[in-house]
Amino acid sequence: MWDNKREAALLDAVGDTRPVSQDTAAAAAMVLDVSTRSISAKLRKMGVEVEKAGPRARKFSEDQEAALVDFLGNNSGSFTYAEIAEAFAGGEFSSKQIQGKVLSLELTDAVKATPKKESVKTYSDEEEATFVAMAEAGKFLEDIAETLGKSLASVRGKALSLNRTQVLAEIPKQRESHAATKVDPIEALGDISGMTVAEIAEASGKTVRGVKTIITRRGLEASDYKAKAKKVA
């Protein structure tokens, strides 16, 4: 039975790497005493990308497992999963395989946290202050866009963001409104690279799956999900 506490434990068990590998899902299944299929299904239902099951990955031998334990003990907190994969066993295992094994060994504290990608601010603090001041003064979106040198779509997206975080009580009006013209909810958000898929879904009124589909189709990128590169034939 999944409740909020077990869902939190599941997210903690699989870490921040996306998509979640089958090895990591299997290790989480051992920790939570459920099947790997149940783990994968639950993660997908929660909007977390999980690798599709493929050919069974190479397993660690007993000697390799012992060597990994020693490696972690001698270098506790010094390497990320990717760095361990590169340095351990001649690079025989991927970072996701290493993560899954470390999780099953319950030695995640010995791994250095992977630095999180910092989102790039598209509006400086000064620009945001000007935006808020003009919006509160009743200026139109076009006026704000012209003053800040931004596109109308960017300004509209920023207005939605500021409204969502309650910085703005209401979204500024657009001087030239075309009621018959539909506004693309994703495009209206402007630069979404600093937003998570869940935040984009909430702001646009779409489902997490719908947002991922749009990101993939348009070649966009969120802070925790990006379109996969197309394979060259």
Side-chain angles (χ1 to χ4, degrees):
M1 183 71 180
W2 292 100
D3 54 22
N4 292 338
K5 186 175 181 179
R6 278 178 66 79
E7 287 181 355
L10 172 58
L11 292 175
D12 184 58
V14 299
D16 297 326
T17 302
R18 300 291 182 269
V20 174
S21 70
Q22 286 296 312
D23 287 334
T24 300
M30 292 177 60
V31 173
L32 296 173
D33 195 25
V34 294
S35 68
T36 301
R37 180 175 295 182
S38 176
I39 290 290
S40 297
K42 180 60 181 176
L43 286 170
R44 291 190 178 104
K45 189 173 182 180
M46 294 169 68
V48 177
E49 186 182 9
V50 181
E51 270 187 347
K52 292 182 179 179
R56 186 172 292 276
R58 176 180 174 81
K59 292 183 178 180
F60 285 75
S61 66
E62 291 184 5
D63 288 342
Q64 287 172 323
E65 182 174 313
L68 179 59
V69 172
D70 288 340
F71 181 92
L72 293 172
N74 294 329
N75 301 280
S76 182
S78 299
F79 298 104
T80 63
Y81 289 113
E83 292 167 341
I84 294 172
E86 185 176 344
F88 178 73
E92 182 176 345
F93 299 97
S94 70
S95 61
K96 292 174 182 177
Q97 289 174 308
I98 293 290
Q99 182 182 13
K101 175 54 67 175
V102 171
L103 180 60
S104 68
L105 293 170
E106 299 184 358
L107 293 173
T108 54
D109 288 342
V111 181
K112 178 182 176 182
T114 301
K116 291 187 177 181
K117 180 181 178 182
E118 294 185 6
S119 58
V120 179
K121 292 185 66 174
T122 54
Y123 286 76
S124 66
D125 292 340
E126 292 77 8
E127 287 175 329
E128 185 169 311
T130 299
F131 192 117
V132 172
M134 292 184 71
E136 292 179 343
K139 298 297 182 181
F140 290 107
L141 287 173
E142 292 91 337
D143 299 327
I144 299 173
E146 182 178 356
T147 298
L148 298 178
K150 305 283 187 180
S151 69
L152 187 58
S154 173
V155 168
R156 189 186 296 114
K158 183 64 175 178
L160 286 169
S161 176
L162 292 173
N163 177 252
R164 189 181 68 251
T165 55
Q166 299 182 345
V167 175
L168 286 180
E170 59 181 29
I171 297 173
K173 293 181 173 59
Q174 186 172 335
R175 182 183 289 108
E176 297 180 8
S177 177
H178 304 284
T181 303
K182 289 186 177 180
V183 177
D184 186 303
I186 301 298
E187 183 180 339
L189 295 176
D191 183 6
I192 62 172
S193 62
M195 301 172 66
T196 65
V197 170
E199 290 171 340
I200 296 169
E202 181 181 354
S204 63
K206 294 186 175 293
T207 64
V208 168
R209 177 177 295 181
V211 169
K212 288 184 175 180
T213 298
I214 291 173
I215 287 176
T216 299
R217 188 169 63 245
R218 299 183 186 179
L220 303 175
E221 181 175 347
S223 64
D224 59 348
Y225 184 83
K226 65 180 180 180
K228 295 180 180 178
K230 294 182 179 180
K231 294 182 178 179
V232 179

